[in-house]
Amino acid sequence: MKRSTILFMLTVLMLLTACKFEGKIVQNPDSVEFTGSELFGRWILTSNIEDSENSKKLIIRKIDLKDDFSAEIEILDGIGYKTVPGNWKIKEKQKIGAKSFNISLKSDVVLTFDLDATHREIVSLSVKEVNNKKMLTSQKDSFEKE
């Protein structure tokens, strides 16, 4: 009898705790409402290219987001500037890792393109509003619509 009482009390406690924390999920206060049509068009890097050249090998200079969710990405790599095809998705949830252990990431825009047959790049971008203008931002770079 004692075991069933303790088990019942633990179950009730877990349910109450789960219900209490479920209501605490809130939206990111920095999130910006946008539609896919607002993102169509050419986006230009606004960050300083010289700073980016020192920090990483691959620099995205321009992104042209098409209405069919294809994209043209102008990049600067070790060879020079080149344009590569890619695609993009809105509000895509990404899983990184194996089935037993993975991390889920959610971004406003996910840009995917292949540098060559064996190297795929996935860039997560957030939509921010700065001075009443929408910007696409990554961890280090920001892009402004042309």
Side-chain angles (χ1 to χ4, degrees):
M1 172 124 162
K2 277 188 164 185
R3 283 186 183 195
S4 62
T5 305
I6 292 173
L7 184 61
F8 175 74
M9 292 178 86
L10 284 174
T11 305
V12 169
L13 182 63
M14 286 176 37
L15 285 173
L16 289 174
T17 305
C19 291
K20 181 178 179 178
F21 287 115
E22 183 179 4
K24 297 224 178 213
I25 298 172
V26 292
Q27 292 248 347
N28 182 356
D30 295 333
S31 65
V32 175
E33 293 294 321
F34 63 92
T35 62
S37 60
E38 291 178 285
L39 301 178
F40 301 154
R42 183 173 292 191
W43 296 82
I44 311 265
L45 179 68
T46 59
S47 309
N48 192 350
I49 290 182
E50 288 78 28
D51 293 340
S52 297
E53 284 177 350
N54 295 330
S55 64
K56 57 185 176 182
K57 294 181 200 173
L58 177 71
I59 299 168
I60 299 174
R61 187 172 164 203
K62 292 180 187 174
I63 305 168
D64 192 2
L65 301 177
K66 312 280 185 184
D67 60 355
D68 63 354
F69 293 97
S70 65
E72 289 182 3
I73 303 99
E74 184 177 311
I75 59 171
L76 173 64
D77 59 8
I79 300 170
Y81 288 104
K82 65 180 176 181
T83 301
V84 294
N87 59 38
W88 62 286
K89 295 179 182 177
I90 297 175
K91 302 269 186 191
E92 183 71 15
K93 190 174 184 179
Q94 303 173 57
K95 287 188 178 180
I96 300 172
K99 283 186 178 182
S100 59
F101 177 78
N102 60 44
I103 299 171
S104 293
L105 303 171
K106 190 169 184 178
S107 323
D108 292 332
V109 177
V110 176
L111 185 63
T112 308
F113 57 96
D114 295 326
L115 294 175
D116 56 43
T118 59
H119 294 94
R120 173 161 285 177
E121 290 286 324
I122 300 173
V123 179
S124 296
L125 300 166
S126 298
V127 177
K128 304 279 184 187
E129 195 163 319
V130 179
N131 296 330
N132 294 326
K133 289 173 65 175
K134 290 203 174 23
M135 305 279 287
L136 290 177
T137 62
S138 66
Q139 190 174 15
K140 294 183 180 181
D141 297 323
S142 60
F143 299 88
E144 181 177 61
K145 194 165 186 183
E146 187 176 57

